[in-house]
């Protein structure tokens, strides 16, 4: 079985009923169909992520007035769910690049306990799938968080920097850009100040503006025509 088929088979349409669409393949199915029917955009960039990515379009809609940016964030998702929908929400759209932001919900144990190395490996699989399909992968650091209100027994202030160390090393070994949201945004307790994230996790409009200022120069080098 091909690598991509092996990695994605557990979230195939035939298994959706049993898994209650664990990967939420239906979330963007209609939008994806419409996008695929349009002419291929040689500057298309897919943003793959969780609620931090999903909420970006609402909190900072001006950024997504750029026709090349496609938001494929789904709130609450862990890396394994993103991996399961990577073909439907990224590869099939034939983007020039994919920006991957994943990991905070894994640390929160949204789908059960996982090790940081397991999270890294799932993200690495997304990177490898992108590269196998000639899509430029851009890997992002997980944003700071001091605590999770929905998972108060976890320790993101310690775990996120450890995961980011693994992700930076992954990016270097894979020869892909690494977008460091963490260092410019973190406060003295390894969290986010209220003006950047009112709940300490999900960015405000100002928080997203900082992310845009960090990401945009990387996209300028990766997909030079994305602003056009």
């Amino acid at each position: 079985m091909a690598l991509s088929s092996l990695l994605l088979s557990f979230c195939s349409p035939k298994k959706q009923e049993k898994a209650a669409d664990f990967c939420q393949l239906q979330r963007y199915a209609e939008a994806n169909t419409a996008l695929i029917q349009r002419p291929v955009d040689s500057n298309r960039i897919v943003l793959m992520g969780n609620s931090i990515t999903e909420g970006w379009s609402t909190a900072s809609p001006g950024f997504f007035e750029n026709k090349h940016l496609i938001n494929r964030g789904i709130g609450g998702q862990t890396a394994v769910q993103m991996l399961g929908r990577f073909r439907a929400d990224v590869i099939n759209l034939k983007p020039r690049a994919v920006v991957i932001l994943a990991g905070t919900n894994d640390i929160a144990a949204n789908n059960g306990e996982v090790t940081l190395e397991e999270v890294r490996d799932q993200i690495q699989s997304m990177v490898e799938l992108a590269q196998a399909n000639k899509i430029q992968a851009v890997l992002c650091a997980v944003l700071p968080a001091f605590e999770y209100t929905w998972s108060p027994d976890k320790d993101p202030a310690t775990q996120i920097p450890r995961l980011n160390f693994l992700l930076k090393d992954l990016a270097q070994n894979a020869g892909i850009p690494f977008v460091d949201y963490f260092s410019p945004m973190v406060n003295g307790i390894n969290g986010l100040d209220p003006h950047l994230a009112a709940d300490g996790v999900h960015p405000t409009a100002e928080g997203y503006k900082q992310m845009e200022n960090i990401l945009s120069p990387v996209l300028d080098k990766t997909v030079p025509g994305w602003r056009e």
Side-chain angles (χ1 to χ4, degrees), residues 7-8 10-11 21-28 32 46-51 53-54 71-75 77-92 101 126 129:
L7 290 171
L8 303 180
F10 69 93
C11 281
D21 197 7
F22 174 72
C23 300
Q24 295 178 262
L25 290 167
Q26 295 305 307
R27 172 69 170 80
Y28 291 109
N32 288 342
V46 175
L47 276 69
M48 169 61 89
N50 48 47
S51 58
T53 297
E54 183 178 19
N71 190 324
R72 288 296 179 264
I74 297 182
Q77 283 208 333
T78 58
V80 71
Q81 290 173 296
M82 295 180 212
L83 175 59
R85 63 183 175 91
F86 200 80
R87 179 168 299 280
D89 288 347
V90 179
I91 296 171
N92 290 351
L101 176 55
M126 285 188 264
L129 282 169

Side-chain angles (χ1 to χ4, degrees), residues 54-133:
E54 183 178 19
W56 203 333
S57 297
T58 301
S60 187
F63 190 57
F64 287 88
E65 289 177 1
N66 184 305
K67 64 182 180 180
H68 303 299
L69 298 180
I70 307 299
N71 190 324
R72 288 296 179 264
I74 297 182
Q77 283 208 333
T78 58
V80 71
Q81 290 173 296
M82 295 180 212
L83 175 59
R85 63 183 175 91
F86 200 80
R87 179 168 299 280
D89 288 347
V90 179
I91 296 171
N92 290 351
L93 305 185
K94 301 184 185 304
R96 177 82 170 274
V98 58
V99 179
I100 301 169
L101 176 55
T104 201
N105 288 327
D106 299 85
I107 291 172
N110 280 20
N111 286 313
E113 298 289 343
V114 291
T115 68
L116 297 181
E117 289 75 17
E118 288 170 337
V119 179
R120 184 269 319 278
D121 290 349
Q122 290 157 5
I123 294 173
Q124 181 174 349
S125 292
M126 285 188 264
V127 170
E128 291 173 349
L129 282 169
Q131 292 177 323
N133 286 276

Side-chain angles (χ1 to χ4, degrees), residues 81-221:
Q81 290 173 296
M82 295 180 212
L83 175 59
R85 63 183 175 91
F86 200 80
R87 179 168 299 280
D89 288 347
V90 179
I91 296 171
N92 290 351
L93 305 185
K94 301 184 185 304
R96 177 82 170 274
V98 58
V99 179
I100 301 169
L101 176 55
T104 201
N105 288 327
D106 299 85
I107 291 172
N110 280 20
N111 286 313
E113 298 289 343
V114 291
T115 68
L116 297 181
E117 289 75 17
E118 288 170 337
V119 179
R120 184 269 319 278
D121 290 349
Q122 290 157 5
I123 294 173
Q124 181 174 349
S125 292
M126 285 188 264
V127 170
E128 291 173 349
L129 282 169
Q131 292 177 323
N133 286 276
K134 296 180 171 55
I135 300 168
Q136 174 64 61
V138 177
L139 185 55
C140 300
V142 178
L143 273 68
F146 177 71
E147 61 183 356
Y148 300 129
T149 56
W150 71 95
S151 192
D153 61 324
K154 304 307 173 188
D155 182 21
T158 298
Q159 297 289 55
I160 289 175
R162 292 175 179 171
L163 177 58
N164 283 340
F165 177 84
L166 296 177
L167 295 181
K168 184 176 182 179
D169 186 63
L170 165 58
Q172 290 175 339
N173 289 336
I176 62 174
F178 183 70
V179 180
D180 184 8
Y181 292 131
F182 187 92
S183 299
M185 299 179 73
V186 69
N187 62 18
I189 56 172
N190 274 1
L192 289 168
D193 286 333
H195 70 285
L196 297 179
D199 65 354
V201 175
H202 300 92
T204 59
E206 185 175 346
Y208 281 118
K209 182 58 63 178
Q210 284 207 23
M211 292 172 64
E212 291 161 18
N213 290 338
I214 297 165
L215 175 62
S216 293
V218 178
L219 297 183
D220 287 338
K221 295 178 181 179

Side-chain angles (χ1 to χ4, degrees), residues 33-53:
T33 298
L35 200 59
I36 291 169
Q37 291 173 349
R38 290 161 47 185
V40 174
D41 176 3
S42 61
N43 292 311
R44 179 173 294 157
I45 301 168
V46 175
L47 276 69
M48 169 61 89
N50 48 47
S51 58
I52 293 173
T53 297

